[in-house]
Amino acid sequence: MLLTGILLGPYVCNVLDSSILSISADIRKIALIIILTRAGLSLDISGLKKIGRPAVMMCFVPASFELLGMIVFGPKLLGVSVLEAAVIGAVLAAVSPAVVVPRMVKSMEEGRGVDKNIPQLILAGASVDDVYVIVLFTTFLGMMQGDGISIIRFVNIPISILSGIGIGLFTGWLLALFFQKVHLRDTVKIMIMLSVSFLLVTIEDDLTTPITFSALIAIMFIGISLQKYRGEVAIRLSSKYSKLWVAAEVFLFVLVGATVNIQYLGEVGIAAVLVIAGALCFRMLGVFVCLLGTNLNKKERLFSMLAYTPKATVQAAIGGIPLSLGLACGDIVLTVAVLAIVITAPLGAFAIDSTYKKWLSTSKSDLL
């Protein structure tokens, strides 16, 4: 799908209509909303509570390690300053929910790794990871523009996550109450949930206050809340969302592919590839640190480390911002972002698909 997007996009065959490309970001966000809601409807939050410390650490430790890796390798291999390396690292450090979430949902549906809460752990971490990284990116970007370090942005990280969880749980409870009182077809319920999700995203985008909330986390927790209060409805709606995802997946990855400017790939050379590889090694080390003290075996830990590497949506969304702002490092930031998508999205997806059946055990309940 990524390759199709690259070929059809404006940088190769230029077949896609400009009107589609102009709303590409909105279409990709709709697809992300669909898969995050489906994830929430399937996620066992009680199992996640049992994990405790590793679940919290997965939200920020791997991204921090990857950012550190970029700061270590970037100045030497790419000839950039430490602050420019931090900006590149912040773009690179986000994992892709679009690649990871559907695969973890599939793993949960098949009962793979569920007994040890492996897909739940990766799924929840991947959703929060992006919030943390984007805040770091805006902070480093502000420092490059002379704004200095904004403490309020760092304070906003836990607040936006916790407020997103609270808003999602409350909204899901209201929807569960409404669906109990008013009998509607499941299709209508889907339309209502999508409308609420779009409204939350719009509110987040339009907020100008220093303290905000994470709409994508709220959307996932709507599904979790609905699952808790109206379990049977959640199961049916999850099935409906899985059908929506069939079409949404095509739009998401083809349009991500269309954002990839392959002209940059010939300009970077081996240095950028080495930097990405080095940063990913740091990221995998970060995942390993998070899993210390857990009951996961070697194969399950290695699976978790590989599953936390794909890049796509965030890099496509923010990779071009430094260039559009006229920063000297803009070209190299975009190049590394594009290269990270091209390398890690297909390889990460392939690594998950080819190993989860071999390395993750089936739950006991499924065996019975």
Side-chain angles (χ1 to χ4, degrees):
M1 291 179 192
L2 282 168
L3 183 59
T4 300
I6 292 170
L7 292 174
L8 297 180
Y11 303 107
V12 183
C13 298
N14 196 22
V15 175
L16 294 176
D17 192 274
S18 58
S19 59
I20 294 176
L21 294 173
S22 66
I23 59 169
S24 171
D26 295 321
I27 296 174
R28 294 195 312 249
K29 186 163 277 189
I30 290 170
L32 203 54
I33 286 169
I34 289 170
I35 193 56
L36 284 173
T37 308
R38 184 184 166 204
L41 292 168
S42 309
L43 184 62
D44 178 15
I45 198 69
S46 61
L48 205 56
K49 287 178 184 175
K50 294 175 187 175
I51 302 171
R53 174 192 56 81
V56 176
M57 290 179 69
M58 286 286 278
C59 297
F60 64 91
V61 172
S64 299
F65 267 67
E66 188 169 10
L67 181 60
L68 177 63
M70 181 57 73
I71 291 172
V72 169
F73 296 119
K76 295 177 182 177
L77 293 174
L78 299 176
V80 294
S81 68
V82 172
L83 184 55
E84 287 172 335
V87 171
I88 299 169
V91 172
L92 192 66
V95 71
S96 172
V99 178
V100 174
V101 172
R103 281 162 176 80
M104 294 306 107
V105 171
K106 184 180 179 183
S107 181
M108 288 191 294
E109 288 172 348
E110 295 181 13
R112 298 276 175 182
V114 174
D115 278 357
K116 295 185 180 180
N117 301 297
I118 296 168
Q120 297 96 312
L121 174 69
I122 296 169
L123 193 156
S127 304
V128 178
D129 171 280
D130 288 358
V131 178
Y132 172 64
V133 168
I134 289 170
V135 171
L136 290 179
F137 172 73
T138 54
T139 300
F140 293 141
L141 213 56
M143 291 170 66
M144 285 205 69
Q145 293 177 297
D147 295 343
I149 298 174
S150 175
I151 302 298
I152 194 70
R153 285 176 180 163
F154 286 101
V155 172
N156 190 43
I157 294 174
I159 292 176
S160 65
I161 292 168
L162 292 173
S163 58
I165 291 171
I167 290 168
L169 291 174
F170 180 68
T171 306
W173 174 75
L174 287 178
L175 286 173
L177 201 64
F178 178 71
F179 293 155
Q180 187 177 8
K181 300 286 185 184
V182 182
H183 296 286
L184 301 166
R185 293 175 59 189
D186 287 343
T187 307
V188 178
K189 291 173 183 174
I190 292 286
M191 296 299 291
I192 291 171
M193 287 182 67
L194 283 174
S195 299
V196 170
S197 299
F198 297 155
L199 182 62
L200 288 172
V201 169
T202 303
I203 291 171
E204 183 195 19
D205 289 343
D206 290 346
L207 275 179
T208 55
T209 55
I211 300 297
T212 59
F213 72 99
S214 171
L216 293 180
I217 290 175
I219 288 163
M220 188 170 74
F221 273 84
I222 288 174
I224 291 170
S225 183
L226 196 60
Q227 180 193 156
K228 180 180 179 180
Y229 294 108
R230 297 285 289 166
E232 291 183 7
V233 173
I235 292 170
R236 295 201 309 271
L237 294 183
S238 179
S239 176
K240 294 278 186 184
Y241 268 97
S242 67
K243 292 174 182 175
L244 280 176
W245 174 243
V246 173
E249 183 180 30
V250 177
F251 277 102
L252 179 61
F253 288 106
V254 169
L255 290 174
V256 167
T259 65
V260 174
N261 186 347
I262 62 168
Q263 293 172 1
Y264 285 113
L265 302 185
E267 299 173 9
V268 286
I270 196 68
V273 178
L274 291 174
V275 165
I276 292 168
L280 283 178
C281 289
F282 268 69
R283 183 181 190 84
M284 293 173 76
L285 178 61
V287 175
F288 179 79
V289 169
C290 294
L291 300 178
L292 289 174
T294 63
N295 62 343
L296 273 60
N297 60 39
K298 288 181 181 179
K299 288 184 178 179
E300 289 164 342
R301 292 179 191 221
L302 184 56
F303 173 82
S304 302
M305 290 159 71
L306 290 173
Y308 227 49
T309 58
K311 320 286 182 183
T313 38
V314 174
Q315 287 72 28
I318 67 175
I321 292 176
L323 183 62
S324 66
L325 293 175
L327 298 181
C329 64
D331 275 327
I332 193 68
V333 173
L334 183 57
T335 301
V336 172
V338 168
L339 202 57
I341 295 171
V342 172
I343 294 172
T344 66
L347 288 181
F350 177 76
I352 296 170
D353 292 343
S354 60
T355 59
Y356 83 102
K357 289 186 178 180
K358 299 174 184 175
W359 293 355
L360 301 184
S361 58
T362 310
S363 65
K364 293 182 179 67
S365 58
D366 283 4
L367 292 173
L368 294 171

